[in-house]
Short mmCIF file of all heavy atoms in Angstrom, two decimals:
data_model
loop_
_atom_site.label_atom_id
_atom_site.label_comp_id
_atom_site.label_asym_id
_atom_site.label_seq_id
_atom_site.Cartn_x
_atom_site.Cartn_y
_atom_site.Cartn_z
N GLN A 149 -16.64 8.30 4.68
CA GLN A 149 -17.85 8.84 5.19
C GLN A 149 -18.71 9.46 4.09
O GLN A 149 -18.17 9.89 3.03
CB GLN A 149 -17.54 9.91 6.27
CG GLN A 149 -16.99 9.42 7.54
CD GLN A 149 -16.85 10.45 8.60
OE1 GLN A 149 -16.75 11.63 8.27
NE2 GLN A 149 -16.92 10.05 9.81
N ALA A 150 -20.00 9.54 4.34
CA ALA A 150 -20.87 10.19 3.34
C ALA A 150 -20.40 11.58 3.05
O ALA A 150 -19.95 12.34 3.96
CB ALA A 150 -22.34 10.22 3.90
N GLY A 151 -20.44 11.96 1.77
CA GLY A 151 -19.97 13.22 1.37
C GLY A 151 -18.52 13.20 0.90
O GLY A 151 -18.02 14.19 0.33
N GLY A 152 -17.80 12.13 1.20
CA GLY A 152 -16.41 12.01 0.85
C GLY A 152 -16.17 11.56 -0.57
O GLY A 152 -17.11 11.39 -1.39
N SER A 153 -14.91 11.32 -0.87
CA SER A 153 -14.48 10.96 -2.22
C SER A 153 -13.58 9.75 -2.20
O SER A 153 -12.86 9.51 -1.21
CB SER A 153 -13.76 12.12 -2.89
OG SER A 153 -14.61 13.23 -3.02
N LEU A 154 -13.57 9.02 -3.25
CA LEU A 154 -12.60 7.94 -3.53
C LEU A 154 -12.28 7.91 -5.00
O LEU A 154 -13.14 8.31 -5.85
CB LEU A 154 -13.19 6.57 -3.14
CG LEU A 154 -13.14 6.15 -1.66
CD1 LEU A 154 -13.92 4.81 -1.52
CD2 LEU A 154 -11.75 6.09 -1.12
N ARG A 155 -11.09 7.44 -5.29
CA ARG A 155 -10.69 7.25 -6.67
C ARG A 155 -10.30 5.78 -6.87
O ARG A 155 -9.32 5.31 -6.30
CB ARG A 155 -9.52 8.12 -7.05
CG ARG A 155 -9.21 8.15 -8.55
CD ARG A 155 -7.85 8.87 -8.79
NE ARG A 155 -7.75 9.24 -10.18
CZ ARG A 155 -6.57 9.56 -10.72
NH1 ARG A 155 -5.46 9.51 -10.07
NH2 ARG A 155 -6.50 9.93 -12.01
N LEU A 156 -11.07 5.12 -7.71
CA LEU A 156 -10.77 3.71 -8.01
C LEU A 156 -9.88 3.65 -9.26
O LEU A 156 -9.98 4.46 -10.16
CB LEU A 156 -12.03 2.95 -8.33
CG LEU A 156 -13.11 2.97 -7.22
CD1 LEU A 156 -14.27 2.08 -7.59
CD2 LEU A 156 -12.59 2.55 -5.85
N SER A 157 -9.01 2.65 -9.27
CA SER A 157 -8.14 2.42 -10.40
C SER A 157 -8.33 0.98 -10.92
O SER A 157 -8.73 0.11 -10.16
CB SER A 157 -6.66 2.56 -10.01
OG SER A 157 -6.40 3.87 -9.54
N CYS A 158 -8.13 0.83 -12.19
CA CYS A 158 -8.17 -0.49 -12.79
C CYS A 158 -6.91 -0.59 -13.74
O CYS A 158 -6.85 0.10 -14.72
CB CYS A 158 -9.46 -0.63 -13.61
SG CYS A 158 -9.53 -2.20 -14.58
N ALA A 159 -6.05 -1.46 -13.34
CA ALA A 159 -4.82 -1.70 -14.11
C ALA A 159 -5.06 -2.83 -15.08
O ALA A 159 -5.52 -3.93 -14.71
CB ALA A 159 -3.67 -2.05 -13.17
N ALA A 160 -4.73 -2.61 -16.31
CA ALA A 160 -4.92 -3.58 -17.42
C ALA A 160 -3.59 -4.10 -17.94
O ALA A 160 -2.59 -3.42 -17.97
CB ALA A 160 -5.70 -2.97 -18.53
N SER A 161 -3.60 -5.38 -18.26
CA SER A 161 -2.47 -6.00 -18.87
C SER A 161 -2.90 -7.02 -19.88
O SER A 161 -4.00 -7.51 -19.83
CB SER A 161 -1.58 -6.67 -17.76
OG SER A 161 -2.27 -7.68 -17.12
N GLY A 162 -1.96 -7.31 -20.79
CA GLY A 162 -2.29 -8.26 -21.86
C GLY A 162 -2.42 -7.59 -23.20
O GLY A 162 -1.48 -6.89 -23.61
N ARG A 163 -3.54 -7.69 -23.80
CA ARG A 163 -3.77 -7.13 -25.12
C ARG A 163 -3.77 -5.61 -25.04
O ARG A 163 -4.00 -5.01 -23.98
CB ARG A 163 -5.13 -7.61 -25.65
CG ARG A 163 -5.22 -7.70 -27.17
CD ARG A 163 -6.54 -8.41 -27.55
NE ARG A 163 -6.72 -8.48 -28.99
CZ ARG A 163 -7.78 -8.97 -29.59
NH1 ARG A 163 -8.77 -9.49 -28.84
NH2 ARG A 163 -7.85 -8.99 -30.91
N THR A 164 -3.58 -4.91 -26.18
CA THR A 164 -3.44 -3.46 -26.27
C THR A 164 -4.62 -2.80 -25.60
O THR A 164 -5.78 -2.91 -26.06
CB THR A 164 -3.30 -3.05 -27.74
OG1 THR A 164 -2.21 -3.73 -28.31
CG2 THR A 164 -3.07 -1.53 -27.80
N PHE A 165 -4.35 -2.03 -24.56
CA PHE A 165 -5.43 -1.39 -23.76
C PHE A 165 -6.26 -0.46 -24.58
O PHE A 165 -7.49 -0.42 -24.43
CB PHE A 165 -4.77 -0.66 -22.58
CG PHE A 165 -5.77 -0.06 -21.64
CD1 PHE A 165 -6.72 -0.78 -20.99
CD2 PHE A 165 -5.72 1.30 -21.41
CE1 PHE A 165 -7.57 -0.24 -20.11
CE2 PHE A 165 -6.60 1.91 -20.52
CZ PHE A 165 -7.57 1.13 -19.87
N SER A 166 -5.65 0.28 -25.48
CA SER A 166 -6.40 1.21 -26.30
C SER A 166 -7.40 0.59 -27.28
O SER A 166 -8.23 1.22 -27.85
CB SER A 166 -5.49 2.12 -27.08
OG SER A 166 -4.67 1.37 -27.96
N GLY A 167 -7.31 -0.74 -27.37
CA GLY A 167 -8.24 -1.46 -28.26
C GLY A 167 -9.54 -1.77 -27.52
O GLY A 167 -10.47 -2.31 -28.19
N TYR A 168 -9.66 -1.40 -26.28
CA TYR A 168 -10.83 -1.83 -25.46
C TYR A 168 -11.67 -0.62 -25.11
O TYR A 168 -11.15 0.45 -24.66
CB TYR A 168 -10.40 -2.52 -24.19
CG TYR A 168 -9.85 -3.90 -24.36
CD1 TYR A 168 -8.49 -4.08 -24.57
CD2 TYR A 168 -10.72 -4.99 -24.35
CE1 TYR A 168 -8.01 -5.40 -24.77
CE2 TYR A 168 -10.25 -6.29 -24.45
CZ TYR A 168 -8.89 -6.47 -24.74
OH TYR A 168 -8.40 -7.77 -24.88
N LYS A 169 -12.96 -0.77 -25.21
CA LYS A 169 -13.89 0.12 -24.53
C LYS A 169 -13.99 -0.41 -23.10
O LYS A 169 -13.98 -1.58 -22.88
CB LYS A 169 -15.26 0.09 -25.23
CG LYS A 169 -15.19 0.59 -26.63
CD LYS A 169 -16.51 0.37 -27.38
CE LYS A 169 -16.37 0.79 -28.86
NZ LYS A 169 -17.55 0.43 -29.68
N MET A 170 -14.14 0.52 -22.14
CA MET A 170 -14.03 0.18 -20.74
C MET A 170 -15.24 0.66 -19.97
O MET A 170 -15.90 1.68 -20.34
CB MET A 170 -12.79 0.82 -20.14
CG MET A 170 -11.48 0.36 -20.76
SD MET A 170 -11.13 -1.43 -20.53
CE MET A 170 -11.03 -1.48 -18.71
N GLY A 171 -15.53 -0.04 -18.93
CA GLY A 171 -16.67 0.39 -18.07
C GLY A 171 -16.46 0.05 -16.62
O GLY A 171 -15.53 -0.71 -16.24
N TRP A 172 -17.28 0.66 -15.80
CA TRP A 172 -17.38 0.34 -14.39
C TRP A 172 -18.80 -0.12 -14.05
O TRP A 172 -19.77 0.49 -14.56
CB TRP A 172 -17.03 1.59 -13.51
CG TRP A 172 -15.58 1.90 -13.50
CD1 TRP A 172 -14.98 2.91 -14.22
CD2 TRP A 172 -14.58 1.36 -12.67
NE1 TRP A 172 -13.64 3.00 -13.89
CE2 TRP A 172 -13.40 2.04 -12.91
CE3 TRP A 172 -14.61 0.36 -11.69
CZ2 TRP A 172 -12.16 1.77 -12.28
CZ3 TRP A 172 -13.36 0.09 -11.05
CH2 TRP A 172 -12.18 0.76 -11.37
N PHE A 173 -18.86 -1.16 -13.26
CA PHE A 173 -20.13 -1.63 -12.75
C PHE A 173 -20.00 -1.75 -11.23
O PHE A 173 -18.91 -1.75 -10.68
CB PHE A 173 -20.43 -3.04 -13.32
CG PHE A 173 -20.92 -3.02 -14.78
CD1 PHE A 173 -20.03 -2.70 -15.78
CD2 PHE A 173 -22.22 -3.22 -15.10
CE1 PHE A 173 -20.42 -2.68 -17.11
CE2 PHE A 173 -22.68 -3.17 -16.45
CZ PHE A 173 -21.78 -2.93 -17.42
N ARG A 174 -21.15 -1.95 -10.56
CA ARG A 174 -21.08 -2.18 -9.14
C ARG A 174 -22.17 -3.14 -8.67
O ARG A 174 -23.20 -3.27 -9.38
CB ARG A 174 -21.22 -0.85 -8.36
CG ARG A 174 -22.62 -0.21 -8.50
CD ARG A 174 -22.57 1.18 -7.84
NE ARG A 174 -23.84 1.86 -7.91
CZ ARG A 174 -24.08 3.08 -7.49
NH1 ARG A 174 -23.08 3.82 -6.95
NH2 ARG A 174 -25.30 3.61 -7.61
N GLN A 175 -21.95 -3.84 -7.60
CA GLN A 175 -22.91 -4.78 -7.07
C GLN A 175 -23.00 -4.65 -5.60
O GLN A 175 -22.06 -4.85 -4.86
CB GLN A 175 -22.53 -6.23 -7.42
CG GLN A 175 -23.55 -7.21 -7.09
CD GLN A 175 -23.26 -8.58 -7.75
OE1 GLN A 175 -22.17 -8.87 -8.21
NE2 GLN A 175 -24.33 -9.40 -7.80
N ALA A 176 -24.16 -4.20 -5.13
CA ALA A 176 -24.47 -4.06 -3.68
C ALA A 176 -24.96 -5.40 -3.20
O ALA A 176 -25.49 -6.24 -3.92
CB ALA A 176 -25.49 -2.95 -3.49
N PRO A 177 -24.86 -5.64 -1.85
CA PRO A 177 -25.30 -6.91 -1.29
C PRO A 177 -26.75 -7.17 -1.60
O PRO A 177 -27.63 -6.28 -1.45
CB PRO A 177 -25.11 -6.67 0.21
CG PRO A 177 -24.04 -5.66 0.32
CD PRO A 177 -24.24 -4.76 -0.87
N GLY A 178 -27.07 -8.35 -2.09
CA GLY A 178 -28.42 -8.75 -2.44
C GLY A 178 -28.97 -8.13 -3.67
O GLY A 178 -30.18 -8.34 -3.99
N LYS A 179 -28.17 -7.43 -4.44
CA LYS A 179 -28.65 -6.79 -5.66
C LYS A 179 -27.85 -7.28 -6.84
O LYS A 179 -26.77 -7.84 -6.75
CB LYS A 179 -28.54 -5.26 -5.51
CG LYS A 179 -29.42 -4.66 -4.46
CD LYS A 179 -29.42 -3.14 -4.53
CE LYS A 179 -30.41 -2.54 -3.48
NZ LYS A 179 -30.43 -1.06 -3.58
N GLU A 180 -28.43 -7.01 -8.02
CA GLU A 180 -27.71 -7.39 -9.28
C GLU A 180 -26.64 -6.37 -9.55
O GLU A 180 -26.69 -5.21 -9.17
CB GLU A 180 -28.75 -7.50 -10.46
CG GLU A 180 -29.75 -8.60 -10.26
CD GLU A 180 -30.60 -8.70 -11.49
OE1 GLU A 180 -30.59 -7.84 -12.35
OE2 GLU A 180 -31.38 -9.70 -11.56
N ARG A 181 -25.68 -6.84 -10.31
CA ARG A 181 -24.62 -5.93 -10.78
C ARG A 181 -25.20 -4.90 -11.73
O ARG A 181 -25.99 -5.29 -12.62
CB ARG A 181 -23.50 -6.74 -11.46
CG ARG A 181 -22.23 -6.00 -11.67
CD ARG A 181 -21.06 -6.86 -12.17
NE ARG A 181 -20.78 -7.96 -11.19
CZ ARG A 181 -19.74 -8.79 -11.32
NH1 ARG A 181 -18.94 -8.62 -12.35
NH2 ARG A 181 -19.53 -9.75 -10.44
N GLU A 182 -24.84 -3.66 -11.52
CA GLU A 182 -25.41 -2.59 -12.31
C GLU A 182 -24.37 -1.69 -12.96
O GLU A 182 -23.25 -1.52 -12.42
CB GLU A 182 -26.36 -1.74 -11.48
CG GLU A 182 -25.68 -0.99 -10.39
CD GLU A 182 -26.64 0.02 -9.67
OE1 GLU A 182 -27.85 -0.09 -9.88
OE2 GLU A 182 -26.12 0.77 -8.79
N PHE A 183 -24.74 -1.13 -14.10
CA PHE A 183 -23.85 -0.22 -14.81
C PHE A 183 -23.62 1.05 -14.06
O PHE A 183 -24.53 1.63 -13.42
CB PHE A 183 -24.52 0.09 -16.14
CG PHE A 183 -23.80 1.18 -16.92
CD1 PHE A 183 -22.66 0.93 -17.63
CD2 PHE A 183 -24.41 2.44 -17.01
CE1 PHE A 183 -21.99 1.93 -18.33
CE2 PHE A 183 -23.82 3.45 -17.73
CZ PHE A 183 -22.63 3.19 -18.36
N VAL A 184 -22.39 1.53 -14.08
CA VAL A 184 -22.03 2.81 -13.51
C VAL A 184 -21.56 3.83 -14.57
O VAL A 184 -22.11 4.93 -14.65
CB VAL A 184 -20.92 2.65 -12.43
CG1 VAL A 184 -20.43 3.98 -11.92
CG2 VAL A 184 -21.38 1.74 -11.32
N ALA A 185 -20.56 3.46 -15.37
CA ALA A 185 -20.03 4.35 -16.37
C ALA A 185 -19.25 3.61 -17.43
O ALA A 185 -18.84 2.47 -17.21
CB ALA A 185 -19.10 5.39 -15.74
N ALA A 186 -19.06 4.22 -18.59
CA ALA A 186 -18.32 3.60 -19.67
C ALA A 186 -17.52 4.72 -20.37
O ALA A 186 -17.98 5.85 -20.39
CB ALA A 186 -19.26 2.85 -20.62
N ILE A 187 -16.50 4.24 -21.09
CA ILE A 187 -15.62 5.29 -21.77
C ILE A 187 -15.14 4.65 -23.06
O ILE A 187 -14.87 3.40 -23.13
CB ILE A 187 -14.46 5.71 -20.90
CG1 ILE A 187 -13.67 6.84 -21.50
CG2 ILE A 187 -13.57 4.55 -20.51
CD1 ILE A 187 -12.78 7.52 -20.53
#
């Protein structure tokens, strides 16, 4: 519901995870994928 919270996870495998810069994007229906956050 609006006002609530969620925690998304992204599990990585393969090459050394610490070697990667990471980001989150999102895509709403009918819209282009957009940047959310990076670390």
Side-chain angles (χ1 to χ4, degrees):
Q149 289 188 334
S153 298
L154 277 177
R155 190 190 197 199
L156 305 183
S157 300
C158 174
S161 60
R163 208 171 178 184
T164 304
F165 183 60
S166 61
Y168 287 90
K169 297 171 184 175
M170 300 296 296
W172 286 98
F173 285 72
R174 66 186 182 185
Q175 187 166 17
K179 295 187 177 181
E180 294 186 350
R181 194 171 299 188
E182 65 175 7
F183 170 76
V184 174
I187 188 167

